[in-house]
Amino acid sequence: MLPGPRNLITDVPGILVGNAQDATLKSGTTVLTSDSSFTASVHVMGGAPGTRETDLLAPDKSVAKIDALVLSGGSAFGLDACSGVMDALHEAGRGYPVGPARVPLVPGAILFDLLNGGAKAWRENPYRALGRTAFEAAAPDFALGTAGAGTGALTAMLKGGLGSASLVLEGGVTVGALVAANPLGAATTPGERHFWAAPYEIREEFGGAGPAPDAGLGRVLESRKTAALQKLAGSPLPPERANTTIAIVATDAALTKAQCQRLATAAHDGIGRAIVPAHSPGDGDLVFAASTGARALDAPDADLGTLCHAAALCLSRAIARAVYLARPEPGDLLPCWAAS
């Protein structure tokens, strides 16, 4: 397994990603789409998710394919980014056919970035426009770090961000991950130089610092993020409600909805390997899985296990890359890895 040419989820042929962000708002949206509809499912392991249209992704639900997936900041306000994507798809004549009508299907998930120093006193929800802009920007190349849904993201000790990574398997199948990392936990070991995901790094893609020799196995759970949010709120605030890591894993392997759900479930291992602690009661940790269906599998049962492993590896690496590539912006509450 080696990364694709971009080391992005868009190494999966047919997958496109677009970002839109507002530096003053300190928030943004990321959209994954394709020129044609694709199979998808989802698995949630966090205790406080924020989602839209995820029920239809269950294997027992009748809708087989969707048109786009949305990751967004903005907490519940950010779910309106899906409406902006629907508007653009509707104008393009895309969507699930119901007689002469077409209904674009756009599931989404959000993270909490309402207390990160950005200007949030809007009169009109900005996320619908951000969603449309992100969809219209969808392309094979896109920015990481402080971009899209990762614009205002924070980890326990450093700025979070948007990350992505890919792997091409021996038979030619490609797997990729896309993540907006805003967890309760830390992506770095104590001292903030080494990443928990270091054992899975390829070609110094997030600094090449290697594993920490004295990581401490996560026994110390310090959080600059919690202290900063408490100070900004000016009153007691339940910090466990201000987090979430949301992700998409994608492949060109032909998978059913049930197989996509298994891929999403296994990919959560990537979160657990890259963030400490992960899947807390107040994280909304969620992984979508998408299949373009372009490549049939020779041995679907055996190959699915390899795909699941690759998806988890990609997601761990994408989380570290999100933090590694975050850049400083005016008014930041936390430092960036590059300055740590």
Side-chain angles (χ1 to χ4, degrees):
M1 299 182 189
L2 290 173
R6 297 182 178 87
N7 199 16
L8 298 172
I9 197 170
T10 48
D11 286 328
V12 176
I15 294 294
L16 305 172
V17 172
N19 289 326
Q21 55 278 321
D22 183 321
T24 301
L25 187 68
K26 278 190 178 294
S27 188
T29 296
T30 297
V31 176
L32 180 145
T33 189
S34 180
D35 289 336
S36 58
S37 58
F38 52 91
T39 304
S41 193
V42 67
H43 187 69
V44 180
M45 287 191 71
T51 61
R52 172 166 160 165
E53 294 276 40
T54 51
D55 282 356
L56 62 82
L57 299 179
D60 65 326
K61 300 302 184 288
S62 60
V63 171
K65 296 188 176 184
I66 63 168
D67 301 291
L69 290 166
V70 172
L71 306 179
S72 185
S75 189
F77 298 102
L79 293 174
D80 205 32
C82 298
S83 298
V85 177
M86 287 186 70
D87 290 344
L89 285 163
H90 178 67
E91 287 184 14
R94 292 182 57 183
Y96 182 77
V98 185
R102 286 189 173 269
V103 182
L105 299 176
V106 185
I110 49 85
L111 56 79
F112 183 96
D113 60 2
L114 297 181
L115 296 175
N116 64 359
K120 305 299 197 297
W122 60 72
R123 294 187 64 185
E124 180 178 339
N125 188 329
Y127 289 96
R128 187 171 190 139
L130 286 170
R132 183 179 188 121
T133 300
F135 175 81
E136 292 173 345
D141 293 301
F142 60 98
L144 300 181
T146 306
T151 298
L154 305 171
T155 73
M157 302 302 288
L158 299 169
K159 282 188 71 171
L162 188 75
S164 190
S166 70
L167 285 171
V168 181
L169 281 57
E170 185 175 355
V173 168
T174 302
V175 180
L178 175 69
V179 63
N182 182 62
L184 175 72
T188 49
T189 64
E192 286 74 72
R193 188 62 189 165
H194 301 268
F195 288 94
W196 288 110
Y200 312 104
E201 185 176 16
I202 301 174
R203 298 172 181 165
E204 299 187 356
E205 61 192 336
F206 42 88
D214 54 354
L217 301 179
R219 293 191 298 268
V220 178
L221 301 179
E222 184 181 359
S223 177
R224 290 189 186 122
K225 178 179 181 177
T226 297
L229 294 184
Q230 294 282 10
K231 183 177 180 181
L232 191 64
S235 60
L237 175 76
E240 68 277 6
R241 297 290 182 236
N243 311 286
T244 289
T245 296
I246 47 178
I248 304 169
V249 293
T251 181
D252 53 353
L255 301 180
T256 64
K257 282 177 74 176
Q259 290 171 326
C260 281
Q261 187 178 67
R262 174 48 48 190
L263 189 69
T265 302
H268 273 281
D269 288 351
I271 297 177
R273 295 168 186 165
I275 295 169
V276 177
H279 304 133
S280 76
D283 278 308
D285 295 345
L286 170 152
V287 179
F288 293 108
S291 164
T292 64
R295 283 179 171 267
L297 297 177
D298 295 330
D301 291 339
D303 292 346
L304 181 60
T306 304
L307 284 170
C308 288
H309 174 56
L313 293 177
C314 286
L315 187 46
S316 288
R317 295 162 50 226
I319 290 167
R321 294 189 80 202
V323 177
Y324 173 69
L325 293 169
R327 64 182 184 272
E329 297 282 355
D332 283 349
L333 296 185
L334 299 183
C336 294
W337 183 89
S340 65

